[in-house]
Amino acid sequence: MTKANPAAVLGDELLERIAARAPGYDAANAFCTEDLDELRAAGYLRLGVPVERGGAGLGLAATTAVQRRLAEAAPATALGLGMHQVWVQAARAVTARGGSFLQAVTDQAADDHLLAFGVSEPGNDAVLFDSLTTAEPDGDGGYRFTGTKVFTSLAPAWDVLSVFGKDGSGPEPRLVHGFVLRSDGDVEHLDDWDTLGMRATQSRTTKLHGVHVPADRIVRTLPVGPNQDPLVFGVFAAFELLVASVYVGIAARAVSLAVSAVRSRTALDGTPRSADPDVRRAIADMRGTVDAIELQVTSLARSVDELDDLGPRWFPLLVGTKARAVDAAQHVVDEAMRVVGGGAYRAGGELARLARDVRAGQYHPSSRDSAARTIAASVLGPLAP
């Protein structure tokens, strides 16, 4: 398994340019077009592609490290483009476990094509285990998908969009997974992404107007309801841990900003603020919190890479790690705001932007409540129907 040196994958000069653009994207509510162009040229879309296919060959643990570094510079860019990395790492996980049905994902990434997710739906808290989108068979193994997807990151720029819907034509409903190309048409993105934070992701509502996916782009049909199919595991593991890594990066950046601020300030009596015992305790708590969640994400991602058999523990560990990372990152950013003081409250400041961006974490699956239900069921058993 190739190990990443995040500084080598994302050089300082590239990150400086990305960080410099982040405030403008946020203020203008604009997609991170220039970031994508530069990262694509740097090979970012091929991070998880095998070396023999022109990629860096990075596994999930190494990719989480890259995503943390990118998130310290531009959280929204890291979160949005991280959806591409989720698909690439899901394909790696499937391949490592003996499956080949996501080979097209690796092929697309090897050609520097941008992959995105069309999964989330309004009112569907079952996420991958059910769908409100209709998948109508075409009679030749393909399907036409009709429905509404929300939080479709990379909406202005994706080349390949995953879609899934429910085929109710047989005796038992089935969930159908496939991939749409931008050239297919019949996919409409609403210009409705105007949010508190993470604005450069441009995660717009998507309307599927009977878009046709031929048989060779249908990758999986699964029963409705929870299951541990390799597709579900691969997507779930990569999504939870790569999203968590973005929030670890936000928390790490908040600590850096807080440290810089307290080092530059003194009290009226000339005492450095960095010598204040309350400030030192707060900084220590923040740094320790970041260390803890970073280690959790890295350890679990390494278990995915190394094919550890965690059995029924996988899903409680994945959802718990993501939920803890998000909650911990919000705590760290809030503490950084408090330690820095009134200057952090300026809307144009980086820490204020982080305080808005970090709050998006609670809306990504799995939510804190959903994670708690999964963990409780793993130790207490499922609730009676």
Side-chain angles (χ1 to χ4, degrees):
M1 184 67 63
T2 303
K3 294 183 178 180
N5 175 358
V9 175
L10 297 174
D12 289 343
E13 292 184 1
L14 172 58
L15 279 187
E16 287 172 5
R17 293 193 297 273
I18 289 173
R21 287 191 288 259
Y25 291 144
D26 178 68
N29 192 26
F31 181 66
C32 53
T33 301
E34 295 85 355
D35 290 355
L36 171 58
D37 290 344
E38 286 208 66
L39 287 166
R40 179 182 263 132
Y44 172 86
L45 300 187
R46 289 178 274 113
L47 287 181
V49 172
V51 174
E52 61 270 21
R53 297 291 310 279
L58 301 188
L60 184 55
T63 303
T64 62
V66 174
Q67 286 299 97
R68 288 196 299 271
R69 180 168 165 81
L70 181 56
E72 289 190 53
T77 294
L79 182 65
L81 298 185
M83 295 302 105
H84 171 90
Q85 302 298 353
V86 170
W87 264 124
V88 176
Q89 289 302 318
R92 285 186 67 94
V94 166
T95 299
R97 287 158 178 80
S100 60
F101 56 85
L102 287 184
Q103 181 59 44
V105 167
T106 302
D107 295 341
Q108 292 284 358
D111 289 336
D112 279 332
H113 294 158
L114 184 65
L115 293 125
F117 274 89
V119 171
S120 296
E121 298 167 335
N124 177 14
D125 59 1
V127 194
L128 284 173
F129 299 143
D130 203 348
S131 180
L132 300 173
T133 295
T134 299
E136 181 182 357
D138 67 1
D140 293 317
Y143 288 84
R144 293 190 179 277
F145 292 83
T146 302
T148 299
K149 304 292 185 177
V150 292
F151 297 110
T152 311
S153 297
L154 311 176
W158 58 262
D159 299 301
V160 183
L161 178 71
S162 73
V163 293
F164 92 118
K166 185 159 58 179
D167 173 12
S169 63
E172 296 290 337
R174 302 283 291 179
L175 298 175
V176 183
H177 296 261
F179 289 94
V180 171
L181 306 181
R182 179 72 76 165
S183 59
D184 287 337
D186 294 324
V187 177
E188 176 190 8
H189 290 299
L190 306 184
D191 189 6
D192 61 349
W193 188 248
D194 187 8
T195 51
L196 181 69
M198 293 296 188
R199 288 158 65 80
T201 66
Q202 287 302 298
S203 305
R204 303 175 183 180
T205 298
T206 301
K207 300 281 190 178
L208 305 177
H209 299 296
V211 60
H212 182 242
V213 179
D216 62 350
R217 284 193 261 127
I218 297 297
V219 296
R220 212 66 169 163
T221 61
L222 299 172
V224 174
N227 66 81
Q228 296 195 27
D229 183 85
L231 174 67
V232 173
F233 174 80
V235 169
F236 203 82
F239 184 91
E240 296 293 275
L241 296 178
L242 287 171
V243 165
S245 70
V246 169
Y247 291 91
V248 176
I250 291 174
R253 180 58 178 165
V255 174
S256 296
L257 292 172
V259 169
S260 178
V262 300
R263 280 179 171 168
S264 66
R265 292 178 58 189
T266 57
L268 285 175
D269 63 2
T271 303
R273 183 152 172 77
S274 59
D276 185 318
D278 293 330
V279 169
R280 296 179 71 87
R281 184 166 55 249
I283 294 289
D285 170 70
M286 291 157 57
R287 183 66 252 178
T289 299
V290 174
D291 290 343
I293 56 176
E294 180 178 333
L295 286 169
Q296 288 179 57
V297 171
T298 300
S299 176
L300 200 52
R302 189 176 295 121
S303 287
V304 175
D305 289 336
E306 295 177 358
L307 308 184
D308 289 349
D309 183 8
L310 303 184
R313 293 289 294 143
W314 267 120
F315 285 92
L317 287 170
L318 289 166
V319 298
T321 298
K322 181 268 175 182
R324 283 189 297 275
V326 167
D327 286 349
Q330 184 162 323
H331 164 73
V332 168
V333 173
D334 288 348
E335 282 294 283
M337 294 280 287
R338 183 180 67 81
V339 167
V340 171
Y345 197 58
R346 295 183 181 277
E350 183 177 359
L351 195 51
R353 175 161 48 84
L354 296 186
R356 292 185 287 104
D357 283 348
V358 77
R359 278 156 177 80
Q362 63 188 301
Y363 302 108
H364 310 305
S366 294
S367 68
R368 181 193 300 167
D369 291 342
S370 175
R373 289 193 295 269
T374 298
I375 296 168
S378 74
V379 294
L380 298 173
L383 290 171

